[in-house]
Amino acid sequence: MRELAAWWVVLCLVWIATLSSWSVQEVATACALAVPCAFAALGARRAEGSAWRPRGQWFAWLARAPGAIARETVGLLRIALLGKEAGEFRELRLPEETAEARRAARSGLSMFTVSVAPGSVVVDSAEDGRVIVLHSLPVGGDGLDRSVSR
């Protein structure tokens, strides 16, 4: 039941975060439609047989996201206006996690965190989750990359 509730909260927040304007109807819709999506997410996780065991401190990575989003958005505008060079592919190595559930959680949360800002996107990951491949633009930010690789 806790996992179902956690999925519901996350899915509601994702919906609400993407709204351009808030209204009671939109929030109610988010809350209602997150219910079947939470059941689907729970069912998919169980069908795959995976488990995540995140460390609480990893959620602090997201505290850096608003600053990174703002900084990288300005960098992208500079690239668009000045026509600077294209990005590059690079590997980001994640610290070793001994437990499979911790490794899966670190890999998934790391991929989400580095992709949340517009300057980089995950394009691939190693089967074992220890290395992720990013496409990064030269927008002056790698703070999120540093956070997840510690």
Side-chain angles (χ1 to χ4, degrees):
M1 191 65 168
R2 285 188 338 192
E3 183 179 359
L4 189 62
W7 276 115
W8 179 80
V9 168
V10 168
L11 293 166
C12 283
L13 291 175
V14 167
W15 182 301
I16 291 168
T18 62
L19 294 176
S20 58
S21 65
W22 290 34
S23 68
V24 172
Q25 294 88 354
E26 283 286 353
V27 174
T29 301
C31 293
L33 293 179
V35 171
C37 293
F39 276 103
L42 178 64
R45 203 252 333 132
R46 286 183 178 167
E48 186 181 83
S50 65
W52 278 20
R53 299 284 184 261
R55 298 182 194 277
Q57 66 212 36
W58 295 345
F59 293 101
W61 299 339
L62 296 177
R64 300 184 72 166
I69 291 169
R71 186 173 48 256
E72 292 180 17
T73 299
V74 170
L76 286 175
L77 289 173
R78 192 174 328 120
I79 289 172
L81 293 174
L82 301 177
K84 297 233 176 177
E85 77 253 18
E88 65 180 4
F89 290 96
R90 61 191 177 88
E91 289 186 349
L92 180 64
R93 297 196 179 281
L94 302 177
E96 182 66 32
E97 293 290 340
T98 55
E100 177 61 34
R102 288 253 194 247
R103 186 171 32 256
R106 179 180 275 279
S107 179
L109 292 173
S110 295
M111 286 189 265
F112 174 78
T113 301
V114 298
S115 292
V116 76
S120 63
V121 64
V122 175
V123 294
D124 198 9
S125 67
E127 187 85 18
D128 62 7
R130 292 183 178 126
V131 177
I132 56 178
V133 179
L134 304 172
H135 183 268
S136 298
L137 296 170
V139 292
D142 64 344
L144 295 177
D145 300 2
R146 281 191 310 249
S147 295
V148 302
S149 63
R150 288 188 209 156

